Structure formats: structure tokens, C-alpha cells
Amino acid sequence: MGEHQSIGCFHCGLPVPKHAHFEREIDDQLRQFCCSGCENVAALISGQGLGEFYQRRTANADRAIDSIENLSYFDNADLQTEFVSDLGDRKRAELLVQGITCTACVWLIEKVLRDQQGVVEVSVHSVTHRLLLTYKESETSLSSLMAALYQFGYRVQPWRVSSLQKNFERDKRKSLKRIGLAGFGMMQVGMVAIALYAGGFQGIDDATRNMLNWVKALMATPVVFYSALPFFVSALRALKAKHLNMDVPVALAIGGAYIASVVATLTASGEVYFDAVMMFTFFLLIGRHYEHQSRHRNLMDDWRYRAAIPDLALVKRDAEWAQVPSSRLIEGDHVRVVMGDQIAADGVLLQDATIDESIFSGESEPILKRKGDQVFAGTNNLGDLFEFVVTHRTNQSQLSKTNDAADLAHQHKPKWVTIADKVAAYFVAAVILISVATFAIWFQIDSSRAFWVALSVLVATCPCALSLATPTVLAAAVQTARRHGLLVRNSQAFSLLSQIDEIVFDKTGTLTDGQFSVTNVEYVDESIDPSFASALINTLEQHSRHPIAIALRAYFCDSELLNCDVTEQVGCGVEATIDGDVYRLGRADWALNTKGKQGIWLSCNGREMVQLFVEDRLRDDAQALLKSLADKKIKVTILSGDLQDRVDQIAKQLDVGKAYGDQRPGDKREYIAQRQQQGAKVAMVGDGLNDIEVLAQADTSVVVGDGVDLVVDRGDVVVLNHRLSQLIDLLSLGRQTRRLERQNIAWALSYNLSILPAAAAGLVAPWAAAIGMSLSSVLVVANALRIKRFKGESGGA
Amino acid sequence: MELSLTILIPVALVLVGLAVKIFFWAVNNGQYDDLDAEASRILFDDDVTPADEQVKDTK
């Protein structure tokens, strides 16, 4: 426990601010805290004799919440209909608890709630963080129970699950029942089988044996028709679509063996295979269950991101603050966010604030934001109370756009997954043919064994693992990338990134952070009045969104504004006519109408007036990124729409050999196309604002936002946390994805090919074949999940 | 022999049916929903804390 003291807050583990003095004796030891909230929570926990929480926990708790909002809202009967069910004299609420870090939290929450008056039953789900709370309304209210949890630093909100999650839960229960029934059936049939074997040695009369076979058939029937039903349904669906999937051979094996056995029982002749049928079903179901469970966990991770929008927001309505459901926020609303709360919509700050944007960036480092900066829905207020004005309502927020993009990526099936599906279909056809051939050959050799040998072949060589090999790796890789602040919109990007030869960078907003500063102003025309020139520049740039315009506007913001109409020439500059004189502000060749001059100029009727010097800042991590790319022997080219001399300057700083300025989007696209014709695989990294066609031309593309506008609907990969060095992580993640895919395919293929001769030779019993097939699938899934342990190289996250 | 079988086998079948029924009930009742917390729960309730005694008092 000593290590908590030295690293940070005893309760939540965050660093203790330098000048903070939050100390208290907990369990006879002086502990330090990061804030009074955590201090009080720790005192409360140990004061109630619940100090064991600190010994039981395996992860630090979430930072405590300072204030308890108006929870009485949750006692509202209308609102309660959504998540509270009436059980006569008691009520049961379904809630989502935030702040659970390990099972010790589960223990603490249950203990705290059981201590409350009127609580009948409490249970907390450690994976989904769902709290089922049964209480007597005559003795307590939901809000007071919620308040009790808030005191311990857990926030609670109504449990609303996506239909997807509900389906998963229903499927899980069904699958458990199927496994259970198959297990019972398998054991019972096994017992009868022992009686028959014993009979085989000691002698048994035909009537008894036939009766025992009937018993077996009786027990096998519900297993085949209930437990094995999903195999038949899936196989039928595939056949209807004139396609072969993994379930076709399985259904054939189970169905064939069952029918053959029933016929044998009816006619009282021949072999019965009920035991084999049962074991098949049982082991296959278990394998499939584990596979579903791990996929479910994947989904749950994703789903947490969706839970990040709070239910209620504190909004100013008619000069009064009121709790309003987040979904009812509209643009222009004033919203207040207390410490520890999540932000309900995108907006602009009215005060400075400390924000945790880890939901986008994967980095939990608090970010200081100034008045006027953007805040995003789903991010967390770590500092004091602040207010903001809503600019995008909840369902149009960055978070919801990001989630939509992620959904699309999940639905999008990469090309080679489709190829793998096709290969697997051929494989299945081959398996069926081989099984038939095996049956025919064994029928000649030993007709009594022919049937079960064919069954073994059918099951053992089923390419389940092969079809799982790539999709599982990709799903896990997309998840992992998201945790590192990378939104993968097209999972194909992973394999393309691992083969890339050349990366083309855009300059402005990509290698540089998109912010310019004015370094020098030179009044070339000495007759001009500087205050008039300043006012003119300020006016001209007032409405342009170009980064240079923003810099100039900021530099001359103290000057007055002139009254005139301004037109913008995209890619050149801005223009206005005052008293018959045409003033232009922009690039030299346009403003001065001459070639050979560089820089930014203010001109009057084409005559030089003022030259402006601006400089853009390199991103902090650009240098490190390019060095690491050079180590990896990946070529780097800079293509920029900016002036050649400024591009050269940046290229020199970064030690990049090939850098071209004055590139229009069409030029950039042409360059990439030309390189591709020479056989190079080219990735494009841009800011996604004015280079869409370039991004599309490249083999794969990465979009790095500049922190103001997060572009999430372009490019194959979006760097959500604006850190360029995240590209290094992306590249190594791509390589690891590729490696795991290869391992999986190699394993699945070699398993299938090596078991085939053994099964055909009659060396593999049907139940062993079922275990082998299930195990190889589970192995493939487990291998895929290894990618989740990926730790970034760039030092982020 | 024949007689005992004709009695014992139906008895066994009924018992299996009962076991399956109980298992289905348990699954539907949500008892298998969270196996992770159940694994730790046995550790939690082992020792008596003041909070535990309080719970008993109120009941």
C-alpha cells in the first residue's frame, strides 16, 4: 500500500498537486489526497469500517465527485417508467454505475446499499456495471439511495441498453441452456452406453438392448432439436443462399448420425451413434459459447463509449437553472457542468476549464482549455464548475459522429475477409466430398466403421478456425487502436499500412499545428499610414477561415474595422474595393500580379504596400515521427499548397529530402498516382479538410485533426488526439495485426490439413474431432485477443 | 430384471427432466449472468464487519 502514498492520491491514484494539503490518517497511516473529495470519501470508507476496500482493490478508484446534483429528479414517476419496475410493495431499479474499477468496488457498492434503510436486494454486475436495486418505496427513495453512492464517488444513471446488448444477453442465456441440455443428455446417454458395453461383454438379449437404444433415442431427441438447432438453422440459411458455411458439415454430421441411429433403432438393426451426436453438440456449443463471450466483451468496450453522454444537463431556462434531459439540449443553450461531470453536448467555453478528453484521445492527462475553446460531448470536467454555450446538440456531436463512423467501419467487410469466406466455402465443399469418399472407401474395408469415420472427417476438418482467423484479429485491432486515440474507419488500412513504401505528408495542419504567427511587418510603401494599413488588413481578414488570416486578424485585432465588401479568392487571398482602389491581401503572385516575389503582400491596384512575414509552427512530435520513419526505411515526401520557400524551411528542419510547394490538390493526386504506377504503395497523411481527392487516391490515408475541427468522416484512419506521433503506433499496430493474422491462418490451415489424414484413417473418434475443432477455434480467438495488450511505442496512452 | 428396468429407467428420465428444468430456471433467473463477480463474492462475505452486523440488526 505504501506505493500509493508516494505516487499519488491514496484514493484515486491521480498525482497530488504540489501545494495541496489534503492529508488524513487512514488505518493508522497518514495518507495524501489530491482533493478534499477524495479525502472525504476515504474517511467515509474507513470510518464505516469498510477500509478493507483499499486492501481488496486491484485498481485505483475514480476520483471522487465534489458535489451531488439535484438527484430528486430521479424520483419523478414519469422518468422512472423507463428503468424502474413496480413489484407491488417494492420497486426494482436498473442502473448503470460509473466508476467501478474492480470487484472491490462491487463489494463496496453492495455493502453501502445494504446498509441503507428500505433496501431489499442489491446486485452489481462486474462486467456490465449494471446495478439491480430492489427497495421499498415506503421507507426510502431512489434519490437518497443514489446520493449514498455518490458519497462514495460512484455516479449512477438509468440503465439504458442498446438492443444489441439486449440481444447478446438473451443469446447468452439461450446458449447456456443449450449447453446445459446437451451436457445432461450426453451424460445420460453415456450411462446407458456403459450398460450396453457391459452387455456386450456379459451378453445381453436383443429385447433389452433394443429397449436401451430407445432410451438413448429418447434422450438424444431434445438435444438434437433444441441444443443443435442453431447449427441447422444456420446451415439451412446458407444453403438457401446457395452458399456453403461452416455449419453445413456440422449439421450434416449431427443430422445424418441422428437419422441413421433412429432408423437403426426403429428397425432394431445396425449401429446407433447417439453418444457421438451428443458429444459433438456439447463440445461444439462450448467452443461457440466462448467465442461469443469474447466477442461480447469487445462489444461492451465499445458500448462504454456510448454511455459517456450524461442523462441530464444543468441548463439555464428563463433565467433559472434546471435539469433537462441531454437529448433536449439545443444550440445556444447555456449549460453548467460541475466538477467530475460529463459534458452533454459540443460547445464553446465561457470560462477556462480543465477537461479530460480521454474518450477521444486515450490519454487521461487533463487538458487546460481557455474561454472560447471548443469542448466536446462525452468529455469530463476535471476542474471547477464551468459554463458553455451549446454549438452542436448531443446527436450531432463529435462523439456521435465518431461512433457512427466506427459503426460503419464494423459493418464494412474488408476485401480479403470476403475472400477468406469464399475460400472457406470451397473448403467446406471439399470437406463434404472427402467425407463421402472416405465413407465409400471405408465401406469396402470395414462397413461397420465407415459411418463414424466419415463423421469424424466431416467435423474434424471443418474450417471454423480458418473463417475466424482474420475477422477476430481485425475486430480486436480496431478496438485497440481506438484505445490509443486512433479511429479506424476501414480495417483494411491495417494490412496496407504494413506494406507501405512512402508516406506523403501535407504540411499545413499536418506537420505543422496549423497555427501561424506574424513575425514581421514591413511597410514597403513609406507613404502609407500604418494605422490605415492595419485597419485594412484587419477588415480584409475578418471573415476568412484560412489559418494565415486568423493569425493576421489576431495580430491586428486592436485596429478599427472599415466599412467595405470583402471577397475571398480561394487559394489566393482576399480583395476589397474602397473609393475605386482595389486592395488585395494574399500571395505575392496574385496580390502583386508578378512572379518572382515571395511571401504575403498587401497591395493597392497591384502596387506593393506592406509585406507580411508569417511562420507556422512545427508540431512538437513531427521531428520524432520523421526520425522513426527514417529508421523504418519509409520514404517521406512533403506536398504542400504553401509557398516553396516555406515548405523548404520546414523540410530542412525535418531533414526531408523531397518537399514540393505550390501544389494544388490535383497536383498532389497526380504525384501519388505516378508513384503508384511505379509500383510504390503510398499512404497520405493530411488534415482531411481540402485534400479529399488526394486521400482517396492514396492506397491508404490518415487524417490528423488540428484540434479545432475534428474530421471523423474522411480517411481510412483518423488520429483523434491530434498527436502526429500516433502514426508510429498505427504502423506497428498494422504490422502486429498482419503478423497475428498470418499466425492464425497458418495455424488453422495446418490444423485442418494435418487432422484430415488422421480422421480419414479412422484414428480420430467423433467426440475427439469435435473437441479438436472447438479448441482450434478458441485458440484462434485467444491469439487474436493478444493484440489488446499492445502498448504504444510513441509513449502515448 | 426386466421389471426393475421398466421402473428405474422412467424414474431416471423424470429425474433428468427435473434437473434440466431447474437448470433452465436458474439461467432464466439470471444466476449465470455474471460469473466473474460470483468468483470474488465468496471472499467478500467471509468476514464479519461492523456493516454486516448492522445489516443483521436492521432485519
Side-chain angles (χ1 to χ4, degrees):
Chain A
M1 285 290 122
E3 67 267 31
H4 287 298
Q5 211 172 355
S6 54
I7 295 171
C9 175
F10 177 61
H11 178 70
C12 69
L14 286 176
V16 176
K18 260 191 195 140
H19 305 292
H21 290 289
F22 301 110
E23 289 177 345
R24 194 179 278 241
E25 219 164 272
I26 304 288
D27 297 340
D28 304 327
Q29 259 184 295
L30 195 66
R31 307 291 193 186
Q32 299 209 323
F33 300 93
C34 67
C35 63
S36 67
C38 286
E39 183 193 335
N40 285 325
V41 169
L44 210 58
I45 291 175
S46 78
Q48 295 216 0
L50 305 175
E52 286 161 76
F53 168 73
Y54 290 109
Q55 278 117 55
R56 285 194 170 138
R57 67 176 178 184
T58 50
N60 284 328
D62 266 9
R63 187 169 170 155
I65 305 140
D66 262 354
S67 55
I68 294 174
E69 325 124 86
N70 183 12
L71 289 171
S72 57
Y73 191 88
F74 288 103
D75 291 331
N76 181 324
D78 277 348
L79 188 76
Q80 281 200 354
T81 51
E82 287 180 41
F83 63 99
V84 179
S85 42
D86 213 332
L87 309 171
D89 61 331
R90 54 190 68 176
K91 285 188 163 188
R92 187 197 281 141
E94 274 185 273
L95 303 163
L96 172 70
V97 187
Q98 289 179 344
I100 294 181
T101 47
C102 66
T103 44
C105 292
V106 174
W107 171 80
L108 181 65
I109 291 168
E110 293 188 354
K111 272 266 185 307
V112 167
L113 285 176
R114 280 203 195 107
D115 277 4
Q116 302 289 320
Q117 267 267 311
V119 171
V120 183
E121 209 184 319
V122 187
S123 91
V124 179
H125 194 295
S126 65
V127 179
T128 57
H129 300 177
R130 176 167 61 171
L131 163 64
L132 271 178
L133 178 59
T134 317
Y135 61 98
K136 288 188 181 139
E137 191 148 53
S138 51
E139 291 174 35
T140 185
S141 66
L142 187 58
S143 62
S144 61
L145 295 176
M146 285 166 108
L149 278 187
Y150 271 59
Q151 278 183 343
F152 283 86
Y154 298 105
R155 16 188 72 252
V156 192
Q157 56 173 259
W159 171 262
R160 284 186 200 127
V161 285
S162 62
S163 54
L164 203 60
Q165 163 69 11
K166 264 194 194 132
N167 280 344
F168 252 111
E169 260 171 28
R170 214 188 38 228
D171 286 353
K172 184 187 170 185
R173 286 187 178 180
K174 235 183 217 164
S175 130
L176 271 177
K177 285 193 265 184
R178 293 204 159 105
I179 292 174
L181 183 70
F184 278 121
M186 184 185 83
M187 288 185 273
Q188 291 309 311
V189 169
M191 231 145 34
V192 179
I194 289 174
L196 281 171
Y197 287 138
F201 285 117
Q202 297 169 351
I204 187 169
D205 60 274
D206 278 354
T208 313
R209 195 178 65 199
N210 211 25
M211 184 181 72
L212 288 179
N213 278 345
W214 270 104
V215 173
K216 277 183 170 183
L218 210 61
M219 288 178 178
T221 306
V223 175
V224 169
F225 285 94
Y226 181 76
S227 295
L229 190 67
F231 301 119
F232 293 120
V233 171
S234 160
L236 270 181
R237 204 180 296 143
L239 288 178
K240 247 188 212 157
K242 298 206 169 68
H243 187 79
L244 288 171
N245 71 358
M246 309 306 138
D247 289 329
V248 174
V250 171
L252 271 179
I254 295 175
Y258 176 73
I259 292 169
S261 306
V262 170
V263 170
T265 309
L266 281 174
T267 57
S269 63
E271 286 284 317
V272 294
Y273 307 96
F274 290 122
D275 353 12
V277 171
M278 308 296 244
M279 278 195 262
F280 261 7
T281 315
F282 183 65
F283 290 121
L284 290 177
L285 281 175
I286 285 188
R288 204 153 287 201
H289 183 73
Y290 274 105
E291 190 196 306
H292 273 267
Q293 285 306 298
S294 57
R295 264 200 267 159
H296 181 209
R297 262 166 211 253
N298 247 344
L299 182 93
M300 284 308 296
D301 284 352
D302 226 24
W303 178 77
R304 291 262 165 78
Y305 288 113
R306 280 149 219 265
I309 296 198
D311 275 317
L312 297 172
L314 204 54
V315 186
K316 201 177 197 170
R317 288 274 157 89
D318 307 324
E320 263 185 58
W321 294 98
Q323 294 270 11
V324 164
S326 302
S327 53
R328 278 192 228 148
L329 289 178
I330 49 167
E331 285 77 8
D333 272 347
H334 277 239
V335 178
R336 186 179 266 182
V337 186
V338 298
M339 178 181 172
D341 244 359
Q342 264 140 353
I343 297 165
D346 289 3
V348 175
L349 281 175
L350 294 174
Q351 278 124 24
D352 292 357
T354 313
I355 311 276
D356 169 12
E357 286 195 341
S358 58
I359 189 165
F360 288 116
S361 62
E363 288 169 59
S364 48
E365 196 78 356
I367 302 166
L368 195 70
K369 293 212 165 187
R370 302 256 164 239
K371 184 184 166 188
D373 282 354
Q374 274 256 306
V375 285
F376 299 108
T379 57
N380 230 319
N381 177 12
L382 288 182
D384 291 331
L385 180 145
F386 69 80
E387 288 168 22
F388 73 96
V389 180
V390 176
T391 54
H392 296 274
R393 59 184 77 190
T394 309
N395 59 3
Q396 284 161 14
S397 63
Q398 282 302 342
L399 183 70
S400 95
K401 276 195 230 161
T402 311
N403 284 339
D404 288 350
D407 279 350
L408 273 181
H410 275 300
Q411 284 162 17
H412 184 98
K413 238 185 184 179
K415 221 183 288 163
W416 76 92
V417 171
T418 338
I419 292 172
D421 276 354
K422 265 190 204 140
V423 171
Y426 284 118
F427 215 105
V428 169
V431 163
I432 294 172
L433 285 178
I434 291 172
S435 305
V436 172
T438 310
F439 180 79
I441 293 166
W442 271 94
F443 200 77
Q444 309 293 320
I445 305 167
D446 180 355
S447 59
S448 67
R449 291 181 67 194
F451 197 77
W452 75 254
V453 172
L455 279 187
S456 295
V457 172
L458 208 52
V459 171
T461 53
C462 177
C464 283
L466 191 66
S467 72
L468 286 173
T470 48
T472 47
V473 176
L474 286 179
V478 168
Q479 282 284 314
T480 309
R482 180 76 194 262
R483 229 181 36 238
H484 287 261
L486 297 160
L487 174 68
V488 178
R489 298 185 56 242
N490 176 1
S491 48
Q492 206 165 349
F494 281 122
S495 97
L496 290 168
L497 276 166
S498 61
Q499 312 162 19
I500 228 76
D501 306 303
E502 178 170 347
I503 299 185
V504 175
F505 284 94
D506 185 21
K507 182 181 74 81
T508 314
T510 306
L511 286 173
T512 63
D513 62 6
Q515 278 163 19
F516 287 82
S517 53
V518 179
T519 52
N520 194 16
V521 181
E522 208 181 305
Y523 297 95
V524 182
D525 180 356
E526 281 166 12
S527 65
I528 193 173
D529 173 13
S531 69
F532 171 70
S534 309
L536 192 58
I537 294 170
N538 192 22
T539 311
L540 282 167
E541 299 293 32
Q542 207 48 238
H543 299 290
S544 173
R545 287 196 61 200
H546 193 275
I548 293 179
I550 294 168
L552 288 172
R553 194 156 73 213
Y555 190 80
F556 293 105
C557 66
D558 294 332
S559 315
E560 56 183 315
L561 288 174
L562 303 174
N563 195 9
C564 61
D565 287 333
V566 179
T567 51
E568 183 165 357
Q569 286 280 323
V570 176
C572 299
V574 282
E575 183 182 85
T577 310
I578 301 172
D579 300 334
D581 292 327
V582 179
Y583 294 97
R584 279 181 169 183
L585 175 61
R587 33 194 298 179
D589 55 347
W590 177 73
L592 305 176
N593 227 342
T594 50
K595 290 227 153 102
K597 295 259 184 195
Q598 300 275 359
I600 301 196
W601 290 82
L602 175 68
S603 72
C604 174
N605 297 329
R607 191 164 41 82
E608 298 174 11
M609 278 175 75
V610 182
Q611 184 175 15
L612 298 144
F613 295 90
V614 294
E615 200 178 72
D616 52 349
R617 262 204 333 250
L618 266 183
R619 279 179 198 257
D620 301 335
D621 45 7
Q623 215 110 34
L625 168 70
L626 288 200
K627 205 178 158 297
S628 141
L629 289 180
D631 289 345
K632 291 190 162 76
K633 303 232 164 10
I634 295 174
K635 267 200 237 162
V636 172
T637 308
I638 299 176
L639 295 182
S640 174
D642 209 348
L643 301 169
Q644 184 68 47
D645 60 339
R646 271 215 296 273
V647 176
D648 285 341
Q649 203 185 329
I650 293 285
K652 217 167 119 196
Q653 281 180 53
L654 291 173
D655 200 20
V656 173
K658 281 191 343 189
Y660 306 104
D662 299 310
Q663 299 276 314
R664 275 160 228 285
D667 302 336
K668 295 185 191 175
R669 201 195 58 212
E670 213 155 277
Y671 173 83
I672 291 176
Q674 192 193 335
R675 291 290 296 142
Q676 283 170 332
Q677 265 173 16
Q678 292 163 12
K681 290 247 188 277
V682 185
M684 170 80 199
V685 182
D687 62 5
L689 290 177
N690 46 19
D691 43 11
I692 307 164
E693 50 174 325
V694 195
L695 293 176
Q697 175 69 44
D699 290 290
T700 181
S701 55
V702 181
V703 168
V704 187
D706 62 0
V708 184
D709 284 315
L710 198 61
V711 181
V712 293
D713 50 359
R714 281 167 209 163
D716 292 336
V717 182
V718 182
V719 180
L720 290 174
N721 58 5
H722 321 303
R723 283 173 46 138
L724 204 51
S725 53
Q726 224 52 3
L727 277 177
I728 306 169
D729 280 353
L730 184 62
L731 286 175
S732 42
L733 200 57
R735 253 197 317 269
Q736 200 177 341
T737 306
R738 188 93 177 141
R739 196 168 59 233
L740 287 179
E741 274 174 4
R742 289 219 176 113
Q743 282 172 3
N744 271 356
I745 290 178
W747 157 253
L749 272 180
S750 56
Y751 162 78
N752 276 347
L753 292 179
S754 60
I755 196 98
L756 178 64
L763 299 173
V764 182
W767 58 269
I771 291 183
M773 170 178 155
S774 299
L775 268 185
S776 83
S777 298
V778 170
L779 204 76
V780 160
V781 173
N783 191 38
L785 292 180
R786 284 200 308 154
I787 206 163
K788 292 202 144 198
R789 278 185 286 169
F790 175 80
K791 298 255 184 326
E793 285 177 26
S794 66
Chain B
M1 169 73 182
E2 281 295 316
L3 190 72
S4 64
L5 268 184
T6 47
I7 295 170
L8 284 176
I9 287 174
V11 168
L13 286 176
V14 168
L15 282 179
V16 170
L18 214 63
V20 169
K21 211 176 156 147
I22 291 172
F23 177 71
F24 276 26
W25 165 80
V27 171
N28 286 334
N29 202 23
Q31 298 186 19
Y32 285 84
D33 281 0
D34 182 12
L35 300 172
D36 301 329
E38 301 311 321
S40 323
R41 200 180 297 280
I42 182 128
L43 302 170
F44 293 167
D45 291 335
D46 234 344
D47 34 26
V48 178
T49 63
D52 260 341
E53 282 158 8
Q54 232 175 314
V55 171
K56 272 177 213 148
D57 288 346
T58 53
K59 273 182 185 167

